[in-house]
C-alpha cells in the first residue's frame, strides 16, 4: 500500500509505496517518487528515493527523504521553483492512521516540508489518496 499526494496549488506529486513482503514489515516505506505532472511524459519524475539505500525512512504516516550530496551538486531540475540541488530533505506528513483506515477514493490531507541546504523551508499542502494494491 501507500499514498499518492498532489499539491493543492502547484504542480507537484509525491508518491510513497510501502513494502509488500510481510517479512520486511508491510508498513515500512520502500519508495518515494517526487514528480511534476505538468511536464511531458518521460520527464515527470524529478527524483526517486529508496529505503534500501538509506535515503528514505518513515515513522507512521510521516515519510522523510534525504537528498544525497551528489544530487545537490549536479541537478538543475526544479520542484516549486527550487533546484533539486538546493534541497536537503523532504518530509511528507499525512493525516492517516491504520487504526482509522480510509477507502482508496477518500482524500486525506498532508503537508510536504521541503528543507533547503541554506536552511530555508517551504510548506506545501497536499491532497492524498490511500493506495492499496488490488483496489480499483
Amino acid at each position: 500500500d501507500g499514498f499518492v499526494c498532489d499539491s493543492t496549488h502547484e504542480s507537484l506529486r509525491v508518491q510513497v509505496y510501502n513494502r509488500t513482503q510481510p517479512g520486511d514489515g508491510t508498513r515500512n516505506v520502500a519508495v518515494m517518487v517526487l514528480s511534476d505532472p505538468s511536464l511531458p511524459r518521460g520527464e515527470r519524475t524529478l527524483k526517486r528515493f529508496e529505503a534500501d539505500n538509506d535515503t528514505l525512512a518513515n515513522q507512521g504516516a510521516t515519510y522523510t527523504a534525504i537528498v544525497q550530496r551528489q544530487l545537490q551538486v549536479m541537478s538543475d531540475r526544479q520542484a516549486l521553483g527550487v533546484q533539486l540541488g538546493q534541497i536537503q530533505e523532504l518530509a511528507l506528513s499525512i493525516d492517516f492512521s491504520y487504526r482509522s483506515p480510509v477507502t482508496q477514493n477518500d482524500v486525506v490531507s498532508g503537508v510536504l516540508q521541503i528543507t533547503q541546504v541554506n536552511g530555508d523551508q517551504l510548506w506545501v499542502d497536499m491532497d492524498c489518496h490511500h493506495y492499496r494494491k488490488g483496489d480499483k
Side-chain angles (χ1 to χ4, degrees):
D1 75 335
F3 294 91
V4 177
C5 301
D6 290 297
S7 65
T8 57
H9 301 292
E10 305 285 341
S11 183
L12 187 68
R13 175 173 288 158
V14 180
Q15 297 164 271
V16 290
Y17 298 103
N18 295 323
R19 297 194 184 282
T20 58
Q21 301 298 321
D24 294 333
T26 56
R27 294 183 182 162
N28 294 327
V29 67
V31 175
M32 176 190 279
V33 178
L34 180 68
S35 61
D36 183 342
S38 71
L39 294 175
R41 285 194 176 278
E43 297 178 24
R44 293 179 183 168
T45 299
L46 301 173
K47 179 63 181 150
R48 178 184 167 104
F49 301 92
E50 297 182 11
D52 289 341
N53 61 14
D54 295 329
T55 61
L56 179 63
N58 74 299
Q59 184 165 355
T62 298
Y63 301 86
T64 304
I66 306 297
V67 179
Q68 295 176 348
R69 188 69 190 145
Q70 63 269 26
L71 177 63
Q72 292 175 346
V73 174
M74 296 171 27
S75 181
D76 63 348
R77 304 211 55 197
Q78 295 188 1
L80 303 177
V82 177
Q83 285 189 336
L84 289 183
Q86 295 301 311
I87 297 174
Q88 179 176 349
E89 181 179 288
L90 301 171
L92 176 66
S93 298
I94 301 170
D95 185 17
F96 175 82
S97 169
Y98 285 99
R99 292 182 187 150
S100 303
V102 296
T103 67
Q104 184 164 333
N105 295 325
D106 289 342
V107 175
V108 294
S109 62
V111 174
L112 177 66
Q113 177 186 345
I114 301 172
T115 303
Q116 299 178 55
V117 293
N118 67 3
D120 288 350
Q121 295 181 328
L122 296 173
W123 299 82
V124 183
D125 291 329
M126 308 291 282
D127 287 336
C128 301
H129 294 88
H130 188 206
Y131 166 84
R132 289 183 297 212
K133 189 173 182 177
D135 280 358
K136 299 197 181 212

